[in-house]
Amino acid sequence: MADQLDNQATVQPVAVEASSLRDQVATIRRALVVSPVRKWLLWTSVGIMAVIIATSIGQVLLNRWNQPFYDALARRDMAAFLHQLLVFAMIAGGLLVLNIGQTWLNQMIRLKLREALTLDLIDQWMRPVRAFRLANAGAIGVNPDQRMQQDAAHLSDLSTDLGVGLLQSLILLVSFVGVLWELSSGFVFHINGWSLAVPGYMVWAAFLYAGTASWLSWLVGRPLIKLNSDRYTREAELRSSMVRVNENVDAIALYHGEADAKQRLELDLGTVLGAMRRIYTAQINLSWVTDTYGWITVVAPILVASPVYFSGDISFGGLMMAVGAFNQVHSSLRWFINNIGSIADWRATLMRVADFRIALDETDVLHDTERRITFDQNANGSLTFEQLQVASPEGCTKLSEQHVEIRAGDRVMITGEPGAGKTLFFRAIAGLWPWGSGKIGLPAGETLIFVPRVPYLPAGTLREVLNHANGHAPASDAEIATVLAEVGLERLSSSLDRVGRWDHELGDDEQRLLGVARLALRQPKWVIIDEAMDAFDGPSLRRVLAMLEKHLKGATIINIGRGQHNIQFFPRGLTIVKDSGAPALKPAHVRAGAIDPPPVAVRRKK
């Protein structure tokens, strides 16, 4: 229960300010500008633009080929027909090569864009202390793995496909508007003896037709932006629930909690399915618009040009050439209609990725209106606390003494009542939680080693785990075997070069003992421990204390916990108290356009 209260004390509310599309695009642009693959992206973008321009020239040539080909058919001219087939083969062959080249460049841009976005997000996330602060910044810090892996990949795919498609449509539009305008110059309407020529008639008809369809498509498809964002949020919650169940299968089995876990998963799945149903309904509504226009487009250009054809002002080949040019212009203008669903998906994904990066930037200045703890360096090599108060939403955590000095070589036990904020105090010393008042004086020139309740064991070989962040020459096999035997983990001596998930293979106590072995190998001069020793029983605790006495002789050891473990080892005691009457921490401000809803609080079984 105390652990839960201490954890709750570190959760802070966050006030959300909406980020604009401009903010989001600018954020992604800044990420790409500083990316190590920016030059590669630039040159592939130039390459695909050149290929698209060459393709549009080929499309214009292919459109011009329509008139002599269909005129040859109308005249039943076999020689001209065969010649035009040869011309078609040459044009089609060139376009085939260009299409394959465009596909390759498209895939490379997609790959490099994902690399740039993901590397940038990982770099921003792994800046010192950022991941911790973001995790405590509210809903924007929930499921960062999905935003960096799935959302960044999806944004890369959508941005590439939509960007290349838009560029291709714009170039084709520019290429064929002139062709269609020139063809329209011969269109004359004869009405009751009057002749009426409309300059660029087919161009205006294409713009009016596509513009109407685009407006209706946006009107019907716009809700998909919010619906897609909501779906990704629900998918993230379902994935998080499944991971949480998988990581706690032993506890679930012991508590016979399968029914509760199943109910939670079914509830999360239900929210995902509900979000998907809403998306499918919106997509069906959109399909009524897009499919209707799709079928009309089959005959629309012929209907537009038919009055001129039936009046005899153009040949059948000229009609087909005009129809082909109309279809190219309309196809370019239809880009928005054809991609309205993808645009809505892209907009929702952009919000999730860009808002996550904005939050990473701004998490360093959360609570910028709040007072912060001052950190200083003590030339005499001591650790001091001057009127220290650590602020949280529930009040302030502080030591019962206003002035505290801990000298090199001291061994101090800091205790407190459940809910006093012991872990919060530990994080404040480490600089993870800077909000509050007073001053912490650190020993100048010394590196403080912080030991959390469960040590961090990176994936890799056991040798790498024990030498993690060592800062010294790697320990020898004999040294490692000695300390493992001293903590009772001698069975691991034969597994030094085996790669494993040690945080899964070892129990909590074994992980803590491995952390103690790592301390013995590193031999730091200053160690601050957060309740890591509270879980040890009598024999294990005596073994650990004996090990610390042997390998960390002369080191300063500060243990934050629930009680005096050994008054001979920790002769000095300090007390943490909670001052609920002190000013509480105010909400932080994070800009975001599509913040995930906060996770539902679930009452845990005691």
Side-chain angles (χ1 to χ4, degrees):
M1 187 65 179
D3 292 348
Q4 293 179 18
L5 290 172
D6 269 354
N7 284 333
Q8 291 170 3
T10 66
V11 177
Q12 53 182 316
V14 177
V16 177
E17 299 177 1
S19 65
S20 64
L21 175 61
R22 180 180 179 181
D23 291 334
Q24 294 159 7
V25 172
T27 296
I28 299 300
R29 182 185 61 81
R30 286 195 300 270
L32 296 179
V33 165
V34 299
S35 171
V37 299
R38 62 185 181 279
K39 290 184 178 179
W40 211 100
L41 277 172
L42 176 62
W43 284 112
T44 50
S45 299
V46 171
I48 203 166
M49 180 178 293
V51 169
I52 290 174
I53 291 174
T55 301
S56 68
I57 294 173
Q59 293 284 359
V60 171
L61 294 175
L62 185 62
N63 183 72
R64 290 179 179 174
W65 169 85
N66 280 321
Q67 182 171 6
F69 177 74
Y70 285 107
D71 283 344
L73 282 176
R75 296 193 309 269
R76 294 180 174 83
D77 187 341
M78 177 60 71
F81 173 75
L82 294 175
H83 174 72
Q84 291 305 318
L85 285 179
L86 181 61
V87 172
F88 172 79
M90 296 173 61
I91 296 174
L95 288 175
L96 175 61
V97 174
L98 290 173
N99 288 339
I100 293 174
Q102 181 177 330
T103 301
W104 182 82
L105 288 170
N106 185 299
Q107 298 297 336
M108 290 301 102
I109 291 176
R110 182 180 304 188
L111 180 68
K112 289 298 180 180
L113 185 57
R114 180 181 181 182
E115 180 182 354
L117 286 177
T118 307
L119 285 177
D120 175 76
L121 292 176
I122 291 174
D123 175 69
Q124 296 293 322
W125 189 48
M126 285 290 99
R127 297 286 176 90
V129 191
R130 271 192 179 179
F132 168 80
R133 290 181 181 170
L134 184 71
N136 291 296
I140 189 65
V142 177
N143 301 315
D145 54 318
Q146 185 187 40
R147 294 178 188 262
M148 290 185 287
Q149 185 262 329
Q150 183 175 330
D151 291 344
H154 196 44
L155 180 62
S156 301
D157 292 345
L158 288 173
S159 298
T160 302
D161 292 341
L162 291 174
V164 171
L166 178 60
L167 177 63
Q168 190 167 17
S169 295
L170 290 175
I171 292 176
L172 283 175
L173 178 63
V174 172
S175 302
F176 278 94
V177 159
V179 174
L180 191 59
W181 188 282
E182 182 180 351
L183 290 172
S184 299
S185 61
F187 282 26
V188 180
F189 296 92
H190 303 281
I191 306 173
N192 295 328
W194 291 85
S195 297
L196 177 63
V198 180
Y201 162 70
M202 293 286 284
V203 175
W204 298 120
F207 272 92
L208 179 62
Y209 181 72
T212 304
S214 298
W215 177 74
L216 286 176
S217 298
W218 174 248
L219 192 65
V220 177
R222 186 176 182 181
L224 282 168
I225 297 175
K226 184 177 180 181
L227 293 176
N228 276 307
S229 178
D230 181 63
R231 177 195 171 180
Y232 295 140
T233 297
R234 306 305 173 191
E235 294 277 12
E237 291 173 356
L238 175 60
R239 174 180 170 183
S240 178
S241 296
M242 289 180 172
V243 171
R244 188 162 55 249
V245 169
N246 184 57
E247 291 179 345
N248 295 277
V249 288
D250 52 345
I252 291 173
L254 290 172
Y255 278 92
H256 301 290
E258 288 85 355
D260 289 341
K262 178 184 176 183
Q263 183 179 9
R264 177 74 260 180
L265 292 175
E266 289 176 346
L267 179 62
D268 288 340
L269 176 61
T271 61
V272 171
L273 297 178
M276 293 177 68
R277 288 190 193 97
R278 290 188 290 272
I279 289 176
Y280 294 157
T281 300
Q283 288 176 338
I284 290 172
N285 293 336
L286 180 61
S287 295
W288 279 107
V289 177
T290 57
D291 290 355
T292 299
Y293 271 88
W295 283 108
I296 295 176
T297 303
V298 174
V299 296
I302 297 177
L303 292 176
V304 170
S306 59
V308 181
Y309 174 72
F310 285 115
S311 66
D313 289 332
I314 59 172
S315 66
F316 181 68
L319 173 66
M320 297 309 296
M321 185 176 176
V323 168
F326 181 94
N327 283 332
Q328 289 288 358
V329 172
H330 177 258
S331 176
S332 301
L333 295 174
R334 261 185 69 94
W335 175 87
F336 183 81
I337 306 170
N338 294 335
N339 293 283
I340 181 64
S342 297
I343 292 172
D345 195 5
W346 173 82
R347 182 72 178 89
T349 309
L350 174 67
M351 282 194 294
R352 287 181 59 81
V353 175
D355 287 344
F356 179 71
R357 196 183 189 279
I358 289 172
L360 286 171
D361 286 336
E362 297 188 350
T363 190
D364 292 337
V365 293
L366 288 178
H367 299 289
D368 51 2
T369 60
E370 296 287 338
R371 292 188 299 170
R372 294 187 175 224
I373 299 168
T374 302
F375 286 83
D376 202 356
Q377 298 286 322
N378 292 329
N380 64 355
S382 64
L383 175 66
T384 58
F385 303 104
E386 299 284 350
Q387 298 181 334
L388 178 63
Q389 290 187 332
V390 185
S392 73
E394 289 77 28
C396 279
T397 293
K398 62 182 182 179
L399 291 171
S400 57
E401 302 176 30
Q402 292 291 311
H403 172 77
V404 173
E405 182 178 12
I406 300 174
R407 297 185 176 276
D410 288 351
R411 294 174 181 173
V412 183
M413 182 72 196
I414 302 178
T415 61
E417 294 292 329
K422 297 184 288 296
T423 295
L424 190 66
F425 185 80
F426 170 80
R427 290 172 173 175
I429 303 173
L432 299 180
W433 192 270
W435 299 288
S437 61
K439 183 172 72 173
I440 297 177
L442 302 174
E446 298 291 348
T447 300
L448 277 64
I449 301 302
F450 294 89
V451 181
R453 300 174 190 180
V454 178
Y456 170 59
L457 305 180
T461 66
L462 187 60
R463 187 190 307 278
E464 292 170 341
V465 170
L466 289 169
N467 285 316
H468 175 68
N470 199 359
H472 304 285
S476 66
D477 289 5
E479 291 173 325
I480 294 176
T482 299
V483 296
L484 288 177
E486 289 176 353
V487 296
L489 296 176
E490 57 272 8
R491 64 181 176 83
L492 297 178
S493 299
S494 60
S495 303
L496 295 182
D497 294 313
R498 181 169 66 84
V499 176
R501 283 293 305 272
W502 302 103
D503 54 336
H504 287 180
E505 293 186 26
L506 302 177
D508 289 346
D509 283 350
E510 290 178 317
Q511 292 181 48
R512 293 186 182 96
L513 289 172
L514 200 62
V516 174
R518 190 162 57 189
L519 281 177
L521 292 171
R522 184 170 184 177
Q523 297 182 345
K525 295 181 179 179
W526 286 80
V527 180
I528 302 177
I529 304 170
D530 177 34
E531 299 190 11
M533 300 174 66
D534 288 345
F536 292 134
D537 57 15
S540 297
L541 180 60
R542 286 192 293 271
R543 184 187 297 117
V544 168
L545 294 178
M547 219 183 141
L548 294 177
E549 181 69 45
K550 175 182 177 182
H551 294 279
L552 274 67
K553 193 174 184 64
T556 307
I557 302 176
I558 302 170
N559 183 36
I560 303 173
R562 290 194 289 268
Q564 291 281 0
H565 296 297
N566 188 303
I567 198 168
Q568 286 77 31
F569 193 88
F570 296 107
R572 183 179 178 186
L574 297 172
T575 305
I576 292 176
V577 295
K578 191 77 169 183
D579 184 1
S580 57
L585 193 64
K586 295 178 181 179
H589 294 274
V590 177
R591 288 183 301 159
I595 296 295
D596 297 347
V600 178
V602 179
R603 185 180 299 275
R604 298 180 180 177
K605 293 185 178 180
K606 298 182 180 180

